[in-house]
Amino acid sequence: MRILGIETSCDETGIAVYDDEQGLLSHELYSQVKLHADYGGVVPELASRDHVRKTLPLIEKAMQDANTAPDELDGIAFTQGPGLVGALLVGSSVGRALAYAWDVPAVGVHHMEGHLLAPMLEDNAPAFPFVALLVSGGHSMLVNVAGIGRYEVLGESIDDAAGEAFDKTAKLLGLDYPGGPLLAKLAEQGEPGHYQFPRPMTDRPGLDFSFSGLKTFAANTIRDAADDKQTHANIAYAFEEAVVDTLMIKCRRALKQTGLKRLVIAGGVSANKRLRCEMETMMRKLNGEVFYPNLAFCTDNGAMIAYAGMQRLKAGQTVSLGATANPRWPLDSLEPV
């Protein structure tokens, strides 16, 4: 069985062809970073227009690279939500139109399920059940995963997501967009012990996250600090340390609450080196295992949508050609497979 995956939920156009026997056959990704850099963040209307320009050429390239003709496809998966409504509409319109033209089923995929299942693209894929930490620019959540579609949200961000806090703090430090990776790189030059940032919502029970206060603390610290590179590096170090510690504390609680020893970390922030290193150390101490996607599949991509869509397609879960975007779509509302 072979499927085409289309991802257009935000500012990256991702296209992939996946085969359930041969694995990932092709993967194309176009990032709009340069387009949005001058604005310091994603401009939804510009994102939608760029998806219109890039989606069909990338589909043609992915199909060629996969040596796949339309009549060899068994379905087309597209990101149905959550995300920017205009961007989602581009992918869903293209996906449903091609499904109609090529006479194959259409599959609407939940963006966060795509991230959650991205580690399944690796040879050492995790087995169910596990706890998943999904951390990106738009989401921070802990999920008890019993199987595909069998999700219990244990906790989520009540304000800024972790990735959003990274990007906003980076902007306060004068770093270019997108700032999260640049802040992490600057933190590598920082020295410990100069600043102590709070670990938000770790002094109370529960598994929800809150990073807006940490961003405010960073803003006040930057305002009162010397304006030189080493000071900024020290602040970046302390900020990153606080975010990683907070995520670790919450993950440890989730594992204890569920009794599980297997942790999956996915989403854009899962590429963070310190997060990976600290989580691996923690899981060794807990005699557990931790899994991540390949670095190429941490951020938004078509491969994760193709894989998630394949699982839904094999279970017979398709959408009508009249289905549309669903920009607000709870993860725990999905049907089990």
Side-chain angles (χ1 to χ4, degrees):
M1 186 175 284
R2 191 168 294 188
I3 194 168
L4 173 71
I6 302 171
E7 156 61 20
T8 63
S9 66
C10 190
D11 62 336
E12 273 133 355
T13 312
I15 309 295
V17 177
Y18 183 85
D19 188 280
D20 64 345
E21 294 184 355
Q22 300 177 50
L24 188 63
L25 301 180
S26 66
H27 169 239
E28 295 293 327
L29 184 67
Y30 175 79
S31 174
Q32 300 177 3
V33 165
K34 291 183 179 179
L35 175 66
H36 300 287
D38 290 341
Y39 304 95
V42 177
V43 181
E45 179 61 26
L46 295 181
S48 304
R49 292 178 182 179
D50 218 36
H51 286 309
V52 171
R53 287 189 286 266
K54 301 297 183 182
T55 301
L56 286 176
L58 288 177
I59 289 174
E60 184 177 1
K61 179 67 163 55
M63 294 283 282
Q64 289 176 348
D65 290 348
N67 194 26
T68 297
D71 60 5
E72 295 177 284
L73 289 175
D74 296 286
I76 296 178
F78 61 89
T79 303
Q80 191 171 1
L84 301 176
V85 64
L88 290 169
L89 283 170
V90 176
S92 67
S93 298
V94 171
R96 288 179 290 124
L98 291 179
Y100 176 77
W102 294 344
D103 194 25
V104 294
V107 184
V109 174
H110 192 290
H111 180 74
M112 296 311 294
E113 181 173 65
H115 277 303
L116 190 154
L117 297 178
M120 302 295 183
L121 292 163
E122 306 305 308
D123 292 335
N124 62 331
F128 299 109
F130 55 77
V131 169
L133 171 66
L134 304 179
V135 276
S136 65
H139 300 85
S140 293
M141 64 173 67
L142 280 162
V143 186
N144 184 358
V145 181
I148 297 176
R150 299 169 61 194
Y151 308 133
E152 177 192 2
V153 176
L154 303 172
E156 55 191 331
S157 180
I158 61 174
D159 42 54
D160 287 359
E164 185 179 4
F166 262 102
D167 287 341
K168 288 182 177 179
T169 300
K171 187 174 183 179
L172 292 169
L173 286 168
L175 301 176
D176 291 335
Y177 171 84
L182 296 178
L183 186 149
K185 187 174 182 180
L186 179 62
E188 293 177 0
Q189 304 170 37
E191 300 169 349
H194 290 277
Y195 297 96
Q196 181 64 35
F197 278 56
R199 276 58 173 163
M201 293 187 71
T202 59
D203 58 348
R204 66 187 75 175
L207 295 171
D208 286 334
F209 299 97
S210 171
F211 292 105
S212 63
L214 191 61
K215 177 196 65 182
T216 302
F217 189 94
N220 293 334
T221 302
I222 294 166
R223 181 195 62 204
D224 297 336
D227 187 15
D228 62 80
K229 186 173 181 180
Q230 187 56 52
T231 298
H232 283 190
N234 294 340
I235 293 172
Y237 182 100
F239 173 83
E240 183 183 56
E241 183 181 50
V243 173
V244 170
D245 278 357
T246 300
L247 295 174
M248 285 177 57
I249 291 168
K250 297 289 186 173
C251 283
R252 194 181 298 115
R253 286 183 187 176
L255 292 166
K256 183 177 181 180
Q257 180 176 312
T258 59
L260 297 173
K261 292 285 188 178
R262 197 174 293 120
L263 177 66
V264 164
I265 304 177
V269 181
S270 69
N272 182 275
K273 292 180 182 178
R274 177 181 287 186
L275 178 64
R276 291 192 172 212
C277 181
E278 296 293 339
M279 286 292 189
E280 287 169 5
T281 300
M282 182 187 80
M283 292 307 290
R284 280 197 299 269
K285 292 179 180 179
L286 295 175
N287 295 315
E289 300 175 283
V290 61
F291 299 86
Y292 309 93
N294 182 289
L295 288 175
F297 304 132
C298 288
T299 54
D300 296 350
N301 63 88
M304 69 183 193
I305 301 304
Y307 181 85
M310 175 66 76
Q311 310 316 308
R312 296 283 170 183
L313 180 62
K314 292 171 75 171
Q317 297 181 9
T318 61
V319 297
S320 73
L321 295 182
T324 187
N326 192 353
R328 297 186 180 275
W329 190 5
L331 181 64
D332 53 7
S333 68
L334 298 181
E335 290 184 51
V337 169

